[in-house]
Amino acid sequence: AILAQDLAFSTTDSSGLRDIEQQQSKTMSWPPAQERIQLEVDKMVSAKGKGKGADAFPPDVALTMFAAHLLVNAAGGEEGSQTFDAPVGQPFMDDEVKGALKHMAEHMQGKEDAKEKLTARGMDKVLRCLKEQNPDAADVTAPCDQLLALTEKEMDAEVTIKSSNGSGGGGGG
């Protein structure tokens, strides 16, 4: 029950902020205001009991943390959960979430640890949920596909390495 209250407060708070920011500028939904990023990141790190605040992170790291958190919430993820398995709340989609998706897709390109970062806590599941929830929105499915391809590309590379080190010749009957 406490979690439900936290979710309700957080959702109301976030959507209230989102409404204000959308009224201020419909075209500038991403990136969010620095104050908002700082507030959300502070909430995330304090919920984990870590002693640092948002100012302990470089701005690009804080923005990426904010984006990942927003994507989890948009997919219906549980507020404060360390991992995502399936939606438990009401999914939503707006321009800010689309901006966060685009940011994540651009941010993760070329990262050697992309697969690890996208699979460690279930971000790949978040992306699959967002695709299922918004199947006709190319501005949602395209960045999800880009990010999911990073996890699959590395998996394919591992399979290729394993098979080339394996028994060699193929199909000898």
Side-chain angles (χ1 to χ4, degrees):
I2 292 172
L3 181 60
Q5 289 173 338
D6 291 344
L7 277 172
F9 176 77
S10 177
T11 303
T12 304
D13 188 31
S14 295
S15 65
L17 283 172
R18 196 174 305 117
D19 291 344
I20 292 167
E21 287 175 356
Q22 285 177 351
Q23 288 170 4
Q24 288 175 347
S25 177
K26 291 266 184 199
T27 59
M28 302 236 349
S29 58
W30 191 265
Q34 190 61 40
E35 298 79 30
R36 181 150 177 250
I37 295 168
Q38 191 161 358
L39 179 71
E40 288 298 319
V41 172
D42 282 342
K43 278 199 268 184
M44 282 184 260
V45 295
S46 69
K48 292 179 183 177
K50 301 203 172 154
K52 12 181 177 177
D55 54 349
F57 299 98
D60 63 322
V61 172
L63 181 61
T64 302
M65 289 171 67
F66 178 92
H69 187 70
L70 180 61
L71 296 179
V72 170
N73 289 340
E78 184 175 355
E79 185 76 28
S81 177
Q82 296 295 312
T83 59
F84 180 91
D85 292 310
V88 295
Q90 182 65 41
F92 65 92
M93 181 54 59
D94 60 22
D95 288 342
E96 186 178 39
V97 176
K98 292 173 185 177
L101 268 171
K102 185 178 178 195
H103 169 77
M104 290 294 287
E106 291 169 357
H107 177 77
M108 296 306 286
Q109 289 300 321
K111 299 268 193 233
E112 289 183 25
D113 59 351
K115 176 186 171 188
E116 179 186 337
K117 288 201 184 282
L118 292 169
T119 58
R121 294 189 177 179
M123 183 56 73
D124 55 330
K125 296 174 188 172
V126 168
L127 297 166
R128 287 185 185 93
C129 282
L130 290 171
K131 278 182 61 171
E132 287 172 19
Q133 294 160 356
N134 305 278
D136 299 326
D139 51 355
V140 173
T141 59
C144 287
D145 286 339
Q146 286 177 328
L147 288 162
L148 289 168
L150 295 174
T151 66
E152 293 159 11
K153 187 163 105 178
E154 290 188 30
M155 285 180 191
D156 291 345
E158 289 173 14
V159 169
T160 302
I161 290 167
K162 286 178 185 169
S163 63
S164 66
N165 291 339
S167 58

